[in-house]
Amino acid sequence: MANTSDTIGAILIGALVSAVLSGTVTTQAFIYFRLYGSDDYKRNIFIAVHIPYRTLDAFHSSMAFASLWIYFIRHWGDSTVFDFIPWTIALTVALTAIVTLISHCFFAHRVYNLSGFSWWLTAPILVLAGARLVAALVSTSEMMILRSYKAFIDRVGWVFTMGLSLSTAVDLFITLSLIILLQRSRTGFSTLNVRRPTSLNLHF
């Protein structure tokens, strides 16, 4: 039987943290839109990218809380449910990967522009992000087939771990690339007005 803290406990904490972070991103997006809503180009980019992103993120949160409903309400008192993987949990893995891919592609575009259109820096980000998506989709498929945490870990747990490792590698690669590129392209803050640092923080 699966450990309660490793399954349902982790899902509960993850769903709550996800909801908090989702609300934080929504607030930041609202502030950004208020500041740059008069710019037609930025407004169109905002609508084209952020609306689908927020829709997928909201769907992800709803699946996480639907899973909690299945565990705590529908199967209340049934100890065998601790090893059960509902389809809603499996779907959150794929949704997380898709949302992450959108974020990685956005930052890959930033790296591409800041590096002077260098594919040597951009291509590894896109390749690793694509591999992470494939690993997540395989994990989702196996979860829906096996429907057991123990069976999933024993059979393809390494695929899930590989997906998380790839996502971490992409995050580190993007972070280091942006730090180096921004360090090289900085012109000093003496020529910037007070509004610029805030704009940079919101933009990146």
Side-chain angles (χ1 to χ4, degrees):
M1 182 182 297
N3 191 316
T4 307
S5 61
D6 293 338
T7 54
I8 299 180
I11 295 170
L12 176 61
I13 295 175
L16 294 175
V17 172
S18 174
V20 171
L21 294 177
S22 180
T24 302
V25 173
T26 301
T27 301
Q28 291 178 332
F30 177 76
I31 294 173
Y32 182 87
F33 188 75
R34 288 291 299 273
L35 290 175
Y36 303 104
S38 58
D39 188 320
D40 291 337
Y41 175 76
K42 290 183 178 180
R43 184 175 64 249
N44 291 337
I45 293 297
F46 176 86
I47 293 174
V49 175
H50 190 74
I51 298 302
Y53 179 91
R54 296 304 308 143
T55 301
L56 288 172
D57 187 55
F59 189 35
H60 170 272
S61 296
S62 66
M63 290 297 99
F65 282 100
S67 300
L68 293 177
W69 175 274
I70 292 173
Y71 284 124
F72 292 129
I73 305 300
R74 183 179 299 177
H75 294 280
W76 175 259
D78 182 6
S79 60
T80 61
V81 76
F82 297 152
D83 188 49
F84 171 66
I85 303 179
W87 66 270
T88 50
I89 284 294
L91 197 56
T92 59
V93 176
L95 289 171
T96 299
I98 295 172
V99 170
T100 303
L101 179 65
I102 294 174
S103 298
H104 285 161
C105 288
F106 171 79
F107 283 108
H109 178 68
R110 297 300 304 153
V111 170
Y112 180 71
N113 288 335
L114 290 172
S115 63
F117 313 112
S118 172
W119 281 104
W120 291 104
L121 282 176
T122 310
I125 296 174
L126 297 177
V127 171
L128 291 175
R132 185 269 191 275
L133 177 63
V134 171
L137 294 179
V138 171
S139 297
T140 298
S141 175
E142 290 297 325
M143 282 182 171
M144 289 185 172
I145 294 173
L146 299 174
R147 303 176 71 85
S148 166
Y149 288 110
K150 186 178 184 306
F152 174 78
I153 293 173
D154 292 341
R155 181 172 173 178
V156 290
W158 64 273
V159 176
F160 186 81
T161 302
M162 182 180 67
L164 296 179
S165 300
L166 288 171
S167 182
T168 302
V170 176
D171 289 339
L172 291 175
F173 191 89
I174 290 174
T175 301
L176 292 175
S177 298
L178 288 176
I179 289 174
I180 295 172
L181 292 171
L182 289 173
Q183 183 73 17
R184 290 180 177 178
S185 63
R186 70 176 184 172
T187 58
F189 288 101
S190 59
T191 59
L192 297 178
N193 56 33
V194 177
R195 185 183 179 85
R196 293 290 179 82
T198 302
S199 300
L200 287 174
N201 289 336
L202 287 171
H203 193 64
F204 290 103

